[in-house]
Amino acid sequence: RGAPGDRSAGDRSVGDIVSGRLGRPVVERLVDPLVGGINAGGVDELSAAATFPQLLAASEQPGSLMRRLRPSPTGGPVPGPSSPVFWSLGGGTARLAGALVEALAGRGVTMRTNVSVQSIERQEAGRSGRAEWRLALEGPGAGPDAGRTGGPDRLQADCVVLAVPAVEAAVLLAPLAPAAAGRLEVLTYAPVAVVTLSIPSGAISAPLLGTGFLVPRTSTMGGRPALITACTYLTRKWPHLARPGDELVRASVGRFGDDRHRGLDDAELATSVFGELAQILDIHGAPLDQLVARWDRGLPQYEVGHLEAVERIDREVAGLPGVAVAGAAYRGVGIPACIGSGRAAARRVLASVSGGAPGGGAPAGRGRGG
C-alpha cells in the first residue's frame, strides 16, 4: 500500500493533502471519519483523485484550501435550508433492482439468477462472422444442459461485460489478458457489516441530534478501539421508516485493516454493537429486534494511483474485442457511478464489434448510497 504523500501522475492521498494544509487533528477527527468512513478505508492511503477530486484540484491552487472548496457563485444554486440533504427512492433503494428487472423483461431480455460464470473462451469466426465468446456456466440457474453431460452449460455471446468484483474478473481474464488480470487481483476490498437495531421508544436518554454520527478510528470503547464506525438514526433520516413504539438505528462496522467483526457470529456482533451504542446514547434495556447484513468484500479501496491503474486495465482489456469490465472497483462506489460504469462498458463493447467510437466514459460519482 502506498505511503502517505506518495504521488502517481499527480495523485496524492487525502490525508497527505489535509494534514499538510489543516493539520493532523483535522484529519483524525473530521476527514478520516467522513471520507475514510464512506470508503471504509484510511485517508492516508485513499487516492484524492479517485475519492475527492475537488480536494486535489483545490490543493494545487494558491491560497486557502477551505475557500477553494466552497461552491462557486457561478456553479449553480446551493441547496437552501428547505432542501433535503439525503435522497432515496420512495419505498427504499431496493426497489431499484426490481424496477430494473421489470424494465429489462419488458424489452425481452433473458436473465439468469443463481448462476456463476466459470470461464470465458474466445471462439474465432462464430455464427456472426466475427469473434464470439463462450461462457461456461454453473449453478442452479445455469440451464438445462448443466450437469446433464457432466460439465457446465455453455452460452454463446457476441459481447461480455464483467460486472463482477475485481478478484473474480481477474480469474476470468487471466488466460486472456494476464496483464489486466494481474492489476485486478491486487485491488483490495474492505469487509464491512451493518447492524440494524429496533430500540424501544424512550429507552434512549441522549438527544438524537441530526441523522447520526461518525466514530473516529482513534476512539476507544472499554479500553479498546471502537468497533462501530458510524451510526444512522434511520427513523430520523428516513421518516417513512418511523413506527410507533420503537426507534430504528443502523450501525456500520469494519474498515480496511479492521475485520474484528468477522470473528463474531451475528448474535455476538449485534450484542457488541448494542453495547457500544448503549454507552454512547445512554440506552437502557435491550433491543426489540436486530438484523445483521455482511459484505466480506464490501468496498474496493482506491489507493493513490488508482485511476492510473484503472486506465491501464481498460487499455489491456480493450485488446479483447467485445469484452469490458464495469462496477464499483473502478471509478466510483456509489450507485450513480456504477450505473455510469455499466453504460460506458456497454458502449465500449458495442463499438468494438461494430467498429464505431466508444463514446464518453463513466461519471465519477463516488459516495456510498444512503
Side-chain angles (χ1 to χ4, degrees):
R1 294 172 65 83
D6 281 357
R7 295 169 180 257
S8 179
D11 196 6
R12 298 169 64 189
S13 76
V14 172
D16 176 51
I17 294 173
V18 177
S19 180
R21 300 290 286 271
L22 302 176
R24 194 66 194 173
V26 174
V27 174
E28 294 177 352
R29 303 298 297 179
L30 177 63
V31 179
D32 190 66
L34 182 59
V35 180
I38 289 173
N39 294 275
V43 292
D44 287 331
E45 291 79 33
L46 287 176
S47 158
T51 63
F52 201 164
Q54 301 91 335
L55 176 67
L56 182 62
S59 73
E60 295 171 347
Q61 302 296 320
S64 167
L65 182 69
M66 296 304 294
R67 286 196 177 98
R68 290 290 180 184
L69 289 171
R70 288 178 180 173
S72 169
T74 60
V78 177
S82 62
S83 300
V85 177
F86 302 105
W87 295 83
S88 184
L89 299 177
T93 309
R95 291 187 58 200
L96 179 62
L100 180 60
V101 168
E102 183 178 350
L104 291 174
R107 297 185 181 189
V109 175
T110 299
M111 288 165 282
R112 298 190 187 185
T113 58
N114 296 318
V115 62
S116 63
V117 178
Q118 300 298 304
S119 65
I120 58 175
E121 299 175 354
R122 187 171 181 174
Q123 304 293 298
E124 299 294 343
R127 61 181 181 273
S128 62
R130 58 177 177 264
E132 293 183 347
W133 299 94
R134 184 170 67 175
L135 285 64
L137 310 179
E138 290 187 357
D145 293 332
R148 182 182 300 172
T149 61
D153 188 19
R154 303 288 178 176
L155 176 67
Q156 297 293 126
D158 295 318
C159 306
V160 178
V161 175
L162 298 177
V164 295
V167 63
E168 276 82 5
V171 171
L172 294 171
L173 289 173
L176 304 165
R183 297 184 193 281
L184 286 163
E185 67 182 2
V186 299
L187 296 182
T188 53
Y189 285 77
V192 296
V194 169
V195 179
T196 303
L197 300 168
S198 169
I199 299 174
S201 298
I204 302 176
S205 299
L208 300 184
L209 304 177
T211 59
F213 59 87
L214 301 170
V215 181
R217 67 176 63 236
T218 54
S219 299
T220 59
M221 300 292 295
R224 297 180 298 177
L227 184 65
I228 62 175
T229 60
C231 175
T232 300
Y233 310 143
L234 287 178
T235 46
R236 309 300 173 101
K237 185 174 182 179
W238 309 117
H240 67 278
L241 296 178
R243 306 180 302 185
D246 73 349
E247 186 84 39
L248 292 178
V249 298
R250 180 181 65 195
S252 301
V253 300
R255 52 165 59 100
F256 193 85
D258 181 7
D259 61 353
R260 287 173 293 161
H261 64 279
R262 298 179 70 179
L264 305 174
D265 63 28
D266 286 358
E268 292 170 334
L269 179 57
T271 298
S272 297
V273 165
F274 179 74
E276 292 191 358
L277 290 177
Q279 294 183 58
I280 296 171
L281 298 176
D282 192 12
I283 304 174
H284 305 279
L288 299 171
D289 203 357
Q290 60 198 39
L291 178 66
V292 176
R294 300 174 184 260
W295 296 271
D296 285 342
R297 285 200 298 268
L299 289 168
Q301 297 299 288
Y302 293 178
E303 299 181 359
V304 173
H306 175 80
L307 293 182
E308 181 182 1
V310 169
E311 291 289 346
R312 292 179 179 177
I313 290 169
D314 283 343
R315 288 197 298 270
E316 290 154 0
V317 175
L320 304 173
V323 177
V325 294
Y330 306 104
R331 292 182 175 87
V333 300
I335 292 175
C338 290
I339 292 172
S341 176
R343 287 174 171 169
R347 288 194 292 268
R348 287 197 297 271
V349 296
L350 291 175
S352 72
V353 297
S354 64
R366 287 171 171 84
R368 266 195 286 187

PDB file of all heavy atoms in Angstrom, residues 198-232:
ATOM      1  N   SER A 198     -33.775  -2.358  16.526  1.00  0.00           N
ATOM      2  CA  SER A 198     -35.034  -1.740  16.921  1.00  0.00           C
ATOM      3  C   SER A 198     -34.988  -1.533  18.433  1.00  0.00           C
ATOM      4  O   SER A 198     -34.899  -2.498  19.191  1.00  0.00           O
ATOM      5  CB  SER A 198     -36.220  -2.642  16.543  1.00  0.00           C
ATOM      6  OG  SER A 198     -37.408  -2.192  17.135  1.00  0.00           O
ATOM      7  N   ILE A 199     -35.013  -0.272  18.845  1.00  0.00           N
ATOM      8  CA  ILE A 199     -34.859   0.066  20.256  1.00  0.00           C
ATOM      9  C   ILE A 199     -36.164   0.677  20.764  1.00  0.00           C
ATOM     10  O   ILE A 199     -36.768   1.522  20.086  1.00  0.00           O
ATOM     11  CB  ILE A 199     -33.691   1.051  20.443  1.00  0.00           C
ATOM     12  CG1 ILE A 199     -32.393   0.385  19.953  1.00  0.00           C
ATOM     13  CG2 ILE A 199     -33.554   1.478  21.898  1.00  0.00           C
ATOM     14  CD1 ILE A 199     -31.204   1.306  19.946  1.00  0.00           C
ATOM     15  N   PRO A 200     -36.642   0.254  21.926  1.00  0.00           N
ATOM     16  CA  PRO A 200     -37.919   0.790  22.429  1.00  0.00           C
ATOM     17  C   PRO A 200     -37.903   2.304  22.546  1.00  0.00           C
ATOM     18  O   PRO A 200     -36.897   2.896  22.946  1.00  0.00           O
ATOM     19  CB  PRO A 200     -38.058   0.129  23.807  1.00  0.00           C
ATOM     20  CG  PRO A 200     -37.181  -1.070  23.763  1.00  0.00           C
ATOM     21  CD  PRO A 200     -36.038  -0.726  22.855  1.00  0.00           C
ATOM     22  N   SER A 201     -39.007   2.916  22.165  1.00  0.00           N
ATOM     23  CA  SER A 201     -39.137   4.365  22.320  1.00  0.00           C
ATOM     24  C   SER A 201     -38.975   4.737  23.797  1.00  0.00           C
ATOM     25  O   SER A 201     -39.508   4.074  24.685  1.00  0.00           O
ATOM     26  CB  SER A 201     -40.507   4.830  21.829  1.00  0.00           C
ATOM     27  OG  SER A 201     -40.663   4.551  20.451  1.00  0.00           O
ATOM     28  N   GLY A 202     -38.210   5.764  24.053  1.00  0.00           N
ATOM     29  CA  GLY A 202     -37.980   6.196  25.423  1.00  0.00           C
ATOM     30  C   GLY A 202     -36.795   5.538  26.081  1.00  0.00           C
ATOM     31  O   GLY A 202     -36.387   5.960  27.167  1.00  0.00           O
ATOM     32  N   ALA A 203     -36.202   4.508  25.447  1.00  0.00           N
ATOM     33  CA  ALA A 203     -35.051   3.828  26.053  1.00  0.00           C
ATOM     34  C   ALA A 203     -33.753   4.586  25.816  1.00  0.00           C
ATOM     35  O   ALA A 203     -32.749   4.321  26.475  1.00  0.00           O
ATOM     36  CB  ALA A 203     -34.930   2.405  25.507  1.00  0.00           C
ATOM     37  N   ILE A 204     -33.760   5.513  24.865  1.00  0.00           N
ATOM     38  CA  ILE A 204     -32.562   6.287  24.556  1.00  0.00           C
ATOM     39  C   ILE A 204     -32.635   7.607  25.311  1.00  0.00           C
ATOM     40  O   ILE A 204     -33.519   8.431  25.054  1.00  0.00           O
ATOM     41  CB  ILE A 204     -32.442   6.535  23.041  1.00  0.00           C
ATOM     42  CG1 ILE A 204     -32.409   5.206  22.281  1.00  0.00           C
ATOM     43  CG2 ILE A 204     -31.192   7.355  22.732  1.00  0.00           C
ATOM     44  CD1 ILE A 204     -32.382   5.369  20.769  1.00  0.00           C
ATOM     45  N   SER A 205     -31.695   7.803  26.223  1.00  0.00           N
ATOM     46  CA  SER A 205     -31.721   9.013  27.043  1.00  0.00           C
ATOM     47  C   SER A 205     -31.036  10.197  26.371  1.00  0.00           C
ATOM     48  O   SER A 205     -31.418  11.347  26.571  1.00  0.00           O
ATOM     49  CB  SER A 205     -31.045   8.740  28.394  1.00  0.00           C
ATOM     50  OG  SER A 205     -31.740   7.720  29.091  1.00  0.00           O
ATOM     51  N   ALA A 206     -30.015   9.927  25.566  1.00  0.00           N
ATOM     52  CA  ALA A 206     -29.286  11.013  24.909  1.00  0.00           C
ATOM     53  C   ALA A 206     -30.135  11.600  23.783  1.00  0.00           C
ATOM     54  O   ALA A 206     -30.890  10.880  23.127  1.00  0.00           O
ATOM     55  CB  ALA A 206     -27.964  10.496  24.351  1.00  0.00           C
ATOM     56  N   PRO A 207     -30.044  12.917  23.548  1.00  0.00           N
ATOM     57  CA  PRO A 207     -30.791  13.511  22.435  1.00  0.00           C
ATOM     58  C   PRO A 207     -30.228  13.031  21.099  1.00  0.00           C
ATOM     59  O   PRO A 207     -29.012  12.974  20.910  1.00  0.00           O
ATOM     60  CB  PRO A 207     -30.571  15.014  22.630  1.00  0.00           C
ATOM     61  CG  PRO A 207     -29.297  15.128  23.403  1.00  0.00           C
ATOM     62  CD  PRO A 207     -29.259  13.918  24.307  1.00  0.00           C
ATOM     63  N   LEU A 208     -31.101  12.677  20.180  1.00  0.00           N
ATOM     64  CA  LEU A 208     -30.676  12.237  18.847  1.00  0.00           C
ATOM     65  C   LEU A 208     -30.627  13.454  17.940  1.00  0.00           C
ATOM     66  O   LEU A 208     -31.626  13.856  17.341  1.00  0.00           O
ATOM     67  CB  LEU A 208     -31.643  11.179  18.306  1.00  0.00           C
ATOM     68  CG  LEU A 208     -31.785   9.906  19.142  1.00  0.00           C
ATOM     69  CD1 LEU A 208     -32.700   8.905  18.448  1.00  0.00           C
ATOM     70  CD2 LEU A 208     -30.416   9.281  19.420  1.00  0.00           C
ATOM     71  N   LEU A 209     -29.454  14.040  17.831  1.00  0.00           N
ATOM     72  CA  LEU A 209     -29.258  15.247  17.043  1.00  0.00           C
ATOM     73  C   LEU A 209     -28.889  14.879  15.615  1.00  0.00           C
ATOM     74  O   LEU A 209     -28.049  13.999  15.389  1.00  0.00           O
ATOM     75  CB  LEU A 209     -28.153  16.109  17.662  1.00  0.00           C
ATOM     76  CG  LEU A 209     -28.365  16.509  19.132  1.00  0.00           C
ATOM     77  CD1 LEU A 209     -27.169  17.294  19.649  1.00  0.00           C
ATOM     78  CD2 LEU A 209     -29.642  17.324  19.285  1.00  0.00           C
ATOM     79  N   GLY A 210     -29.486  15.548  14.667  1.00  0.00           N
ATOM     80  CA  GLY A 210     -29.174  15.270  13.274  1.00  0.00           C
ATOM     81  C   GLY A 210     -29.686  13.907  12.858  1.00  0.00           C
ATOM     82  O   GLY A 210     -30.728  13.426  13.319  1.00  0.00           O
ATOM     83  N   THR A 211     -28.938  13.238  11.983  1.00  0.00           N
ATOM     84  CA  THR A 211     -29.346  11.922  11.478  1.00  0.00           C
ATOM     85  C   THR A 211     -28.367  10.819  11.865  1.00  0.00           C
ATOM     86  O   THR A 211     -28.494   9.697  11.378  1.00  0.00           O
ATOM     87  CB  THR A 211     -29.481  11.953   9.945  1.00  0.00           C
ATOM     88  OG1 THR A 211     -28.225  12.326   9.361  1.00  0.00           O
ATOM     89  CG2 THR A 211     -30.550  12.941   9.510  1.00  0.00           C
ATOM     90  N   GLY A 212     -27.397  11.121  12.723  1.00  0.00           N
ATOM     91  CA  GLY A 212     -26.462  10.090  13.149  1.00  0.00           C
ATOM     92  C   GLY A 212     -25.116  10.681  13.503  1.00  0.00           C
ATOM     93  O   GLY A 212     -24.972  11.897  13.672  1.00  0.00           O
ATOM     94  N   PHE A 213     -24.111   9.830  13.622  1.00  0.00           N
ATOM     95  CA  PHE A 213     -22.773  10.301  13.974  1.00  0.00           C
ATOM     96  C   PHE A 213     -21.721   9.362  13.388  1.00  0.00           C
ATOM     97  O   PHE A 213     -22.009   8.212  13.024  1.00  0.00           O
ATOM     98  CB  PHE A 213     -22.602  10.396  15.494  1.00  0.00           C
ATOM     99  CG  PHE A 213     -22.814   9.100  16.238  1.00  0.00           C
ATOM    100  CD1 PHE A 213     -21.777   8.195  16.417  1.00  0.00           C
ATOM    101  CD2 PHE A 213     -24.059   8.785  16.768  1.00  0.00           C
ATOM    102  CE1 PHE A 213     -21.975   7.003  17.110  1.00  0.00           C
ATOM    103  CE2 PHE A 213     -24.273   7.607  17.460  1.00  0.00           C
ATOM    104  CZ  PHE A 213     -23.226   6.712  17.627  1.00  0.00           C
ATOM    105  N   LEU A 214     -20.506   9.871  13.288  1.00  0.00           N
ATOM    106  CA  LEU A 214     -19.352   9.109  12.823  1.00  0.00           C
ATOM    107  C   LEU A 214     -18.414   8.854  14.000  1.00  0.00           C
ATOM    108  O   LEU A 214     -18.384   9.631  14.963  1.00  0.00           O
ATOM    109  CB  LEU A 214     -18.605   9.876  11.730  1.00  0.00           C
ATOM    110  CG  LEU A 214     -19.415  10.234  10.486  1.00  0.00           C
ATOM    111  CD1 LEU A 214     -18.638  11.200   9.604  1.00  0.00           C
ATOM    112  CD2 LEU A 214     -19.784   8.982   9.708  1.00  0.00           C
ATOM    113  N   VAL A 215     -17.649   7.779  13.923  1.00  0.00           N
ATOM    114  CA  VAL A 215     -16.744   7.401  15.007  1.00  0.00           C
ATOM    115  C   VAL A 215     -15.315   7.401  14.480  1.00  0.00           C
ATOM    116  O   VAL A 215     -14.962   6.591  13.615  1.00  0.00           O
ATOM    117  CB  VAL A 215     -17.089   6.002  15.565  1.00  0.00           C
ATOM    118  CG1 VAL A 215     -16.152   5.642  16.712  1.00  0.00           C
ATOM    119  CG2 VAL A 215     -18.545   5.954  16.025  1.00  0.00           C
ATOM    120  N   PRO A 216     -14.447   8.306  14.949  1.00  0.00           N
ATOM    121  CA  PRO A 216     -13.048   8.299  14.510  1.00  0.00           C
ATOM    122  C   PRO A 216     -12.362   6.987  14.867  1.00  0.00           C
ATOM    123  O   PRO A 216     -12.681   6.369  15.892  1.00  0.00           O
ATOM    124  CB  PRO A 216     -12.434   9.482  15.276  1.00  0.00           C
ATOM    125  CG  PRO A 216     -13.596  10.347  15.640  1.00  0.00           C
ATOM    126  CD  PRO A 216     -14.747   9.407  15.860  1.00  0.00           C
ATOM    127  N   ARG A 217     -11.418   6.578  14.045  1.00  0.00           N
ATOM    128  CA  ARG A 217     -10.707   5.325  14.323  1.00  0.00           C
ATOM    129  C   ARG A 217      -9.858   5.418  15.580  1.00  0.00           C
ATOM    130  O   ARG A 217      -9.432   4.397  16.123  1.00  0.00           O
ATOM    131  CB  ARG A 217      -9.849   4.911  13.125  1.00  0.00           C
ATOM    132  CG  ARG A 217      -8.688   5.826  12.811  1.00  0.00           C
ATOM    133  CD  ARG A 217      -7.824   5.285  11.675  1.00  0.00           C
ATOM    134  NE  ARG A 217      -8.571   5.188  10.442  1.00  0.00           N
ATOM    135  CZ  ARG A 217      -8.706   4.055   9.729  1.00  0.00           C
ATOM    136  NH1 ARG A 217      -8.152   2.944  10.148  1.00  0.00           N
ATOM    137  NH2 ARG A 217      -9.381   4.065   8.602  1.00  0.00           N
ATOM    138  N   THR A 218      -9.595   6.630  16.073  1.00  0.00           N
ATOM    139  CA  THR A 218      -8.828   6.797  17.310  1.00  0.00           C
ATOM    140  C   THR A 218      -9.701   6.650  18.560  1.00  0.00           C
ATOM    141  O   THR A 218      -9.180   6.659  19.678  1.00  0.00           O
ATOM    142  CB  THR A 218      -8.160   8.183  17.324  1.00  0.00           C
ATOM    143  OG1 THR A 218      -9.160   9.197  17.107  1.00  0.00           O
ATOM    144  CG2 THR A 218      -7.107   8.288  16.222  1.00  0.00           C
ATOM    145  N   SER A 219     -11.026   6.524  18.390  1.00  0.00           N
ATOM    146  CA  SER A 219     -11.925   6.407  19.543  1.00  0.00           C
ATOM    147  C   SER A 219     -11.799   5.033  20.188  1.00  0.00           C
ATOM    148  O   SER A 219     -11.566   4.029  19.505  1.00  0.00           O
ATOM    149  CB  SER A 219     -13.374   6.638  19.104  1.00  0.00           C
ATOM    150  OG  SER A 219     -13.538   7.930  18.560  1.00  0.00           O
ATOM    151  N   THR A 220     -11.978   4.990  21.489  1.00  0.00           N
ATOM    152  CA  THR A 220     -11.914   3.725  22.230  1.00  0.00           C
ATOM    153  C   THR A 220     -13.206   3.513  22.998  1.00  0.00           C
ATOM    154  O   THR A 220     -13.878   4.460  23.410  1.00  0.00           O
ATOM    155  CB  THR A 220     -10.727   3.703  23.203  1.00  0.00           C
ATOM    156  OG1 THR A 220     -10.856   4.800  24.128  1.00  0.00           O
ATOM    157  CG2 THR A 220      -9.408   3.821  22.454  1.00  0.00           C
ATOM    158  N   MET A 221     -13.539   2.244  23.197  1.00  0.00           N
ATOM    159  CA  MET A 221     -14.692   1.843  23.999  1.00  0.00           C
ATOM    160  C   MET A 221     -14.229   0.736  24.933  1.00  0.00           C
ATOM    161  O   MET A 221     -13.773  -0.316  24.465  1.00  0.00           O
ATOM    162  CB  MET A 221     -15.825   1.338  23.114  1.00  0.00           C
ATOM    163  CG  MET A 221     -16.356   2.353  22.111  1.00  0.00           C
ATOM    164  SD  MET A 221     -17.236   3.734  22.865  1.00  0.00           S
ATOM    165  CE  MET A 221     -18.635   2.869  23.559  1.00  0.00           C
ATOM    166  N   GLY A 222     -14.293   0.968  26.215  1.00  0.00           N
ATOM    167  CA  GLY A 222     -13.838  -0.033  27.170  1.00  0.00           C
ATOM    168  C   GLY A 222     -12.363  -0.343  27.054  1.00  0.00           C
ATOM    169  O   GLY A 222     -11.947  -1.477  27.294  1.00  0.00           O
ATOM    170  N   GLY A 223     -11.576   0.672  26.680  1.00  0.00           N
ATOM    171  CA  GLY A 223     -10.131   0.477  26.577  1.00  0.00           C
ATOM    172  C   GLY A 223      -9.674  -0.143  25.270  1.00  0.00           C
ATOM    173  O   GLY A 223      -8.472  -0.371  25.093  1.00  0.00           O
ATOM    174  N   ARG A 224     -10.596  -0.413  24.350  1.00  0.00           N
ATOM    175  CA  ARG A 224     -10.238  -0.990  23.054  1.00  0.00           C
ATOM    176  C   ARG A 224     -10.746  -0.091  21.931  1.00  0.00           C
ATOM    177  O   ARG A 224     -11.677   0.688  22.142  1.00  0.00           O
ATOM    178  CB  ARG A 224     -10.842  -2.385  22.898  1.00  0.00           C
ATOM    179  CG  ARG A 224     -10.328  -3.409  23.913  1.00  0.00           C
ATOM    180  CD  ARG A 224     -10.981  -4.761  23.678  1.00  0.00           C
ATOM    181  NE  ARG A 224     -12.429  -4.697  23.850  1.00  0.00           N
ATOM    182  CZ  ARG A 224     -13.252  -5.721  23.655  1.00  0.00           C
ATOM    183  NH1 ARG A 224     -12.764  -6.884  23.257  1.00  0.00           N
ATOM    184  NH2 ARG A 224     -14.558  -5.580  23.852  1.00  0.00           N
ATOM    185  N   PRO A 225     -10.145  -0.186  20.730  1.00  0.00           N
ATOM    186  CA  PRO A 225     -10.661   0.605  19.609  1.00  0.00           C
ATOM    187  C   PRO A 225     -12.135   0.317  19.391  1.00  0.00           C
ATOM    188  O   PRO A 225     -12.583  -0.827  19.471  1.00  0.00           O
ATOM    189  CB  PRO A 225      -9.808   0.125  18.424  1.00  0.00           C
ATOM    190  CG  PRO A 225      -8.553  -0.382  19.035  1.00  0.00           C
ATOM    191  CD  PRO A 225      -8.954  -0.984  20.352  1.00  0.00           C
ATOM    192  N   ALA A 226     -12.894   1.369  19.149  1.00  0.00           N
ATOM    193  CA  ALA A 226     -14.330   1.209  18.929  1.00  0.00           C
ATOM    194  C   ALA A 226     -14.585   0.272  17.750  1.00  0.00           C
ATOM    195  O   ALA A 226     -13.872   0.306  16.747  1.00  0.00           O
ATOM    196  CB  ALA A 226     -14.978   2.563  18.678  1.00  0.00           C
ATOM    197  N   LEU A 227     -15.605  -0.555  17.887  1.00  0.00           N
ATOM    198  CA  LEU A 227     -15.967  -1.476  16.810  1.00  0.00           C
ATOM    199  C   LEU A 227     -16.791  -0.758  15.749  1.00  0.00           C
ATOM    200  O   LEU A 227     -16.583  -0.943  14.548  1.00  0.00           O
ATOM    201  CB  LEU A 227     -16.760  -2.655  17.377  1.00  0.00           C
ATOM    202  CG  LEU A 227     -17.145  -3.766  16.397  1.00  0.00           C
ATOM    203  CD1 LEU A 227     -15.899  -4.479  15.866  1.00  0.00           C
ATOM    204  CD2 LEU A 227     -18.076  -4.772  17.085  1.00  0.00           C
ATOM    205  N   ILE A 228     -17.720   0.077  16.166  1.00  0.00           N
ATOM    206  CA  ILE A 228     -18.580   0.743  15.203  1.00  0.00           C
ATOM    207  C   ILE A 228     -17.834   1.909  14.552  1.00  0.00           C
ATOM    208  O   ILE A 228     -16.977   2.546  15.171  1.00  0.00           O
ATOM    209  CB  ILE A 228     -19.892   1.243  15.844  1.00  0.00           C
ATOM    210  CG1 ILE A 228     -19.613   2.284  16.926  1.00  0.00           C
ATOM    211  CG2 ILE A 228     -20.675   0.082  16.427  1.00  0.00           C
ATOM    212  CD1 ILE A 228     -20.873   2.893  17.496  1.00  0.00           C
ATOM    213  N   THR A 229     -18.154   2.155  13.297  1.00  0.00           N
ATOM    214  CA  THR A 229     -17.539   3.267  12.563  1.00  0.00           C
ATOM    215  C   THR A 229     -18.522   4.396  12.325  1.00  0.00           C
ATOM    216  O   THR A 229     -18.117   5.520  12.050  1.00  0.00           O
ATOM    217  CB  THR A 229     -17.007   2.778  11.210  1.00  0.00           C
ATOM    218  OG1 THR A 229     -18.090   2.245  10.431  1.00  0.00           O
ATOM    219  CG2 THR A 229     -15.948   1.689  11.407  1.00  0.00           C
ATOM    220  N   ALA A 230     -19.815   4.103  12.391  1.00  0.00           N
ATOM    221  CA  ALA A 230     -20.831   5.129  12.173  1.00  0.00           C
ATOM    222  C   ALA A 230     -22.165   4.607  12.677  1.00  0.00           C
ATOM    223  O   ALA A 230     -22.366   3.393  12.815  1.00  0.00           O
ATOM    224  CB  ALA A 230     -20.934   5.491  10.693  1.00  0.00           C
ATOM    225  N   CYS A 231     -23.080   5.531  12.939  1.00  0.00           N
ATOM    226  CA  CYS A 231     -24.437   5.169  13.340  1.00  0.00           C
ATOM    227  C   CYS A 231     -25.413   6.110  12.646  1.00  0.00           C
ATOM    228  O   CYS A 231     -25.190   7.325  12.605  1.00  0.00           O
ATOM    229  CB  CYS A 231     -24.599   5.258  14.856  1.00  0.00           C
ATOM    230  SG  CYS A 231     -26.295   4.949  15.436  1.00  0.00           S
ATOM    231  N   THR A 232     -26.482   5.551  12.092  1.00  0.00           N
ATOM    232  CA  THR A 232     -27.524   6.334  11.436  1.00  0.00           C
ATOM    233  C   THR A 232     -28.826   6.168  12.200  1.00  0.00           C
ATOM    234  O   THR A 232     -29.219   5.043  12.521  1.00  0.00           O
ATOM    235  CB  THR A 232     -27.733   5.872   9.983  1.00  0.00           C
ATOM    236  OG1 THR A 232     -26.521   6.036   9.252  1.00  0.00           O
ATOM    237  CG2 THR A 232     -28.835   6.670   9.308  1.00  0.00           C
TER     238      THR A 232
END
